[in-house]
Every structure is written in C-alpha cells, then in structure tokens.
Amino acid sequence: MTLSRRQFIKGASAAGAVAATPFSINQAIAANKELRIYAWAGYITDAMLADFTAKTGINATFTPYGTNDELMNSLRATDGTGFDIIMPTVDRVPGYVDYDLVQPLDTSRIKWDGCLESAISGSEVGGVVKGKRYFAPADWGTEAIAYNTEYAKVDPKNLSYGDLWAPENSGGVTVRGHSALVGIGLWLEKAGKLPYPLLDSYKNEKAMRANFDVILKVAVEHKSSIAQFWSTENEAQGAFRTNGAVIGQTWDSTAFKLKSEGEPVAFGAPKEGALAWMEGFVIPKNANNVDSVYEFINWYYTPEAGAMFVESTGYNSTSKGAEALLPQATKDFFDSSYTKQDLANLWWWPIQEPWYVALRNEYQDRYLSA
C-alpha cells in the first residue's frame, strides 16, 4: 500500500472536528521509573517532557541523534540496549528487524483512535514485518527545494531538482549526499536518461548500480556548484545562514525554521516529486521500561501533544486534531509550499533494505570524495 499526501489531508481535515479528550493515566506505571527517549535532534522539547510528566507522572529523558545511520549504528553497537523508545523512518524498520534490534508492538495497548487512519494504513509498508507491527506513526514530511527568494534563480511554479544545478545558482547549493543522488536520479528519470526505473534501484543490485553509475557521473560533474553538504538539520540551516547557500534540497523543517526567523526562504515541491517520509515510535529489543513507552505513545496521540511537536519541528504530526491548534504561520507555510498537484505527486521513500543502504553509502562516499 502506498501512502499519499492527499490521504493525509483528507484524514487531517476530518480530524479537525475531533474534540480534545482528557488523557487517561495508567496508574500501574511506577512514577519513579524513567523513560529513555532516543529521537531526532529537536523533536522532543523540555516543554513536551514536562507536559508528559505532568499528565502521566512518568519522568523521561531525551537523547538526540542526527541521522538514521547514527541511530542504527548506536543500536547495533549495544544490541538494542540503552533506550526504551526510538523514532526511525518507516522504510528502515525492516532492517532493524533483520538485525534483531527491535520488538513487536502490543497493538492492544495503543489508543489508535488518536492517530490518523491514513498514517496507520500507510505505515503497513515497512512498519509491519511478517505480520507483526513494529511501528506507531508519529510524523511525516518532505525533502524538496528550499530557496532564497531574493537570490536563487528559480521559477517557483515550475521547480525541478535540475534547478539546483543551473549555472545561475552555481556555488550556492546545499544538499545531503545520498538524497541528492536520488533527486538527480528523479531528474534524469523524467528526462529518460536512466537505464532502469529509479524504483528498481531498491529491488536489486544490478539495477541499482546501473542507475547510480549514471547518477554519480552527473552529480560529480556538478559538484562545483555546492557551497556545503549537510547531514543534519543544524547543518542545513547553517548553510543558508552563514555559508552562502541560496538554494538547496532540504527537509521542509529547514525552510520553516529559517522563514520563522525572518529569512527570505521559501519551500516548494519539484515537478519530479518531493521526497516524502514517515517516522514513528519503535521499541528496542532490550528496552527496560516498555510500560512507559505505551504511555508516551498514547500521550502523543492527543491534539495538544501533536501540536507541540509540530511547533517544535515544522513537520506534520499524525495526531488527530493537532492541526486545529497550530499557529496561523504554520498553516500558511504548508499552504504556500504545496499545491494539490504537489500533494498528489509525492515520491515516498521505498523500503531501504541493508544491502541497499550499504550500496547507497558506497555511492555517497564516492560522491563526497570525488
């Protein structure tokens, strides 16, 4: 099953009329047992932790990471020990299952009526492995084109991944290594210049290498256009703030945060399709406070908690009713970033199995070192 942004909008619109309901506390949870959260930098704020504690009596700590690979490597190094809850992207979940690093969810303990139905059904691809659900959807967003409205040379109504490599923007580009290669791949595919459909790259090594040999050649030819590579949110923002970037392939949150600070930055989906992803809650194999994990997930599946998350990150929460509590500026950013056609044309990240990730990293390393 493929999840579309249109499905999200439909689900979110219906959810807007849902009234907030009181959060019920599970009195069986020991208040002195700490919940250890390992999630993306900036995802869990002090205010969120305080609200969770106030409503459940459970103390929680937050440790940040910056990339999916950092999360995977941390868990592999400890055999899934050290944290109670993590937040990988759904396409990476099968890899955690293959490495025996996570445990299935007890779905009967989750208040699914607080989560958008479209997110639940859409996360079956990746989030459900061999009939068992490992993933409770938390948020989703895109990676597309962020640009300085004063200096970038683009047509906002006809954006393309190719705009990054236009001579007019040379020296002012910021991209993430491995996803830039996918963006170039989508650009080349639309022009009929790939030997196989790009999606075949995720199915077998032959197609992956054939496509990425072509993609890498083009990427290296345009490498002089890059002002800075990024791998974390802070690095992407820094590229625009201090390192001369005027256009980039970034997460939506990058543009949202820069714009909220008064920077002349806009965000838009290229005609080849914005790269879309979903993240969610997963329990490591050796978590020692599983009871509190379910309390946290159920706390998050309330409009108030979902809205706090969106205000912190700029991403989209899967919590029903969250959008009704958002500031107008947040709603305006979403409306200005995507047309109806953009939302119907999202390119959802396929499942990235370990063999693909290894090859992807090989091509990224060759790109960065060229």
Side-chain angles (χ1 to χ4, degrees), residues 98-159:
D98 287 345
Y99 287 123
D100 190 28
L101 297 173
V102 296
Q103 59 180 281
L105 296 173
D106 181 349
T107 57
S108 68
R109 300 183 66 179
I110 296 175
K111 297 180 179 179
W112 295 108
D113 58 354
C115 181
L116 293 175
E117 290 84 357
S118 52
I120 299 170
S121 60
S123 64
E124 289 176 4
V125 177
V128 177
V129 181
K130 296 180 180 179
K132 297 179 179 179
R133 177 172 281 278
Y134 291 82
F135 179 94
D139 64 283
W140 61 286
T142 66
E143 183 177 331
I145 306 297
Y147 59 95
N148 185 299
T149 57
E150 296 178 358
Y151 298 109
K153 304 300 181 182
V154 299
D155 176 359
K157 296 183 179 180
N158 190 36
L159 289 172

Side-chain angles (χ1 to χ4, degrees), residues 143 145 159-165 183 186-187 249 270 272-275:
E143 183 177 331
I145 306 297
L159 289 172
S160 168
Y161 289 111
D163 291 339
L164 296 165
W165 317 113
L186 288 169
W187 177 41
Q249 183 179 318
E272 298 89 355
L275 305 176

Side-chain angles (χ1 to χ4, degrees), residues 10 20 28 45 49 97 109 123-124 172 174 187 201 241 253 281 284 300 325:
K10 182 178 179 181
T45 65
L49 293 177
V97 177
R109 300 183 66 179
S123 64
E124 289 176 4
T174 185
W187 177 41
S201 304
R241 288 195 186 102
S253 59
F281 303 116
Y300 181 84
L325 304 179

Side-chain angles (χ1 to χ4, degrees), residues 20-90:
T21 55
F23 183 80
S24 61
I25 301 173
N26 184 344
Q27 299 296 338
I29 302 299
N32 62 350
K33 195 170 186 181
E34 190 170 74
L35 175 68
R36 300 164 302 168
I37 305 167
Y38 193 31
W40 295 82
Y43 272 30
I44 307 297
T45 65
D46 289 343
M48 291 171 70
L49 293 177
D51 189 73
F52 172 66
T53 299
K55 291 176 177 175
T56 65
I58 301 168
N59 293 317
T61 60
F62 165 56
T63 301
Y65 55 79
T67 68
N68 268 305
D69 289 339
E70 181 183 347
L71 170 59
M72 172 66 84
N73 293 336
S74 296
L75 259 68
R76 291 189 68 184
T78 62
D79 193 32
T81 299
F83 296 99
D84 301 307
I85 188 170
I86 58 175
M87 292 186 69
T89 53
V90 70

Side-chain angles (χ1 to χ4, degrees), residues 63-321:
T63 301
Y65 55 79
T67 68
N68 268 305
D69 289 339
E70 181 183 347
L71 170 59
M72 172 66 84
N73 293 336
S74 296
L75 259 68
R76 291 189 68 184
T78 62
D79 193 32
T81 299
F83 296 99
D84 301 307
I85 188 170
I86 58 175
M87 292 186 69
T89 53
V90 70
D91 53 277
R92 301 294 289 271
V93 173
Y96 288 87
V97 177
D98 287 345
Y99 287 123
D100 190 28
L101 297 173
V102 296
Q103 59 180 281
L105 296 173
D106 181 349
T107 57
S108 68
R109 300 183 66 179
I110 296 175
K111 297 180 179 179
W112 295 108
D113 58 354
C115 181
L116 293 175
E117 290 84 357
S118 52
I120 299 170
S121 60
S123 64
E124 289 176 4
V125 177
V128 177
V129 181
K130 296 180 180 179
K132 297 179 179 179
R133 177 172 281 278
Y134 291 82
F135 179 94
D139 64 283
W140 61 286
T142 66
E143 183 177 331
I145 306 297
Y147 59 95
N148 185 299
T149 57
E150 296 178 358
Y151 298 109
K153 304 300 181 182
V154 299
D155 176 359
K157 296 183 179 180
N158 190 36
L159 289 172
S160 168
Y161 289 111
D163 291 339
L164 296 165
W165 317 113
E168 296 84 354
N169 295 318
S170 183
V173 178
T174 185
V175 294
R176 181 171 58 159
H178 73 82
S179 55
L181 295 176
V182 174
I184 291 172
L186 288 169
W187 177 41
L188 295 176
E189 181 179 47
K190 193 171 184 65
K193 295 181 179 179
L194 288 185
Y196 295 93
L198 185 61
L199 284 174
D200 285 0
S201 304
Y202 298 82
K203 299 175 182 177
N204 64 78
E205 182 174 344
K206 178 182 177 181
M208 197 280 187
R209 287 194 178 277
N211 282 338
F212 274 68
D213 283 345
V214 175
I215 293 168
L216 181 62
K217 183 176 184 296
V218 173
V220 172
E221 289 173 354
H222 292 286
K223 191 177 179 183
S224 61
S225 294
I226 295 174
Q228 178 197 315
F229 284 102
W230 65 269
S231 60
T232 68
E233 178 64 84
N234 288 339
E235 291 172 357
Q237 293 178 39
F240 282 91
R241 288 195 186 102
T242 61
N243 293 329
V246 298
I247 188 171
Q249 183 179 318
T250 75
W251 293 320
D252 40 10
S253 59
T254 302
F256 175 79
K257 290 182 179 179
L258 291 170
K259 186 176 179 66
S260 67
E261 295 170 2
E263 297 289 339
V265 173
F267 187 77
K271 56 191 175 185
E272 298 89 355
L275 305 176
W277 46 263
M278 187 194 304
E279 294 162 340
F281 303 116
V282 174
I283 306 177
K285 179 178 66 175
N286 294 319
N288 69 1
N289 196 358
V290 173
D291 287 337
S292 292
V293 169
Y294 292 107
E295 292 297 301
F296 184 83
I297 294 173
N298 291 332
W299 164 82
Y300 181 84
Y301 285 162
T302 62
E304 295 80 7
M308 292 174 74
F309 174 86
V310 177
E311 290 187 59
S312 170
T313 64
Y315 296 134
N316 308 287
S317 173
T318 62
S319 301
K320 283 184 180 178

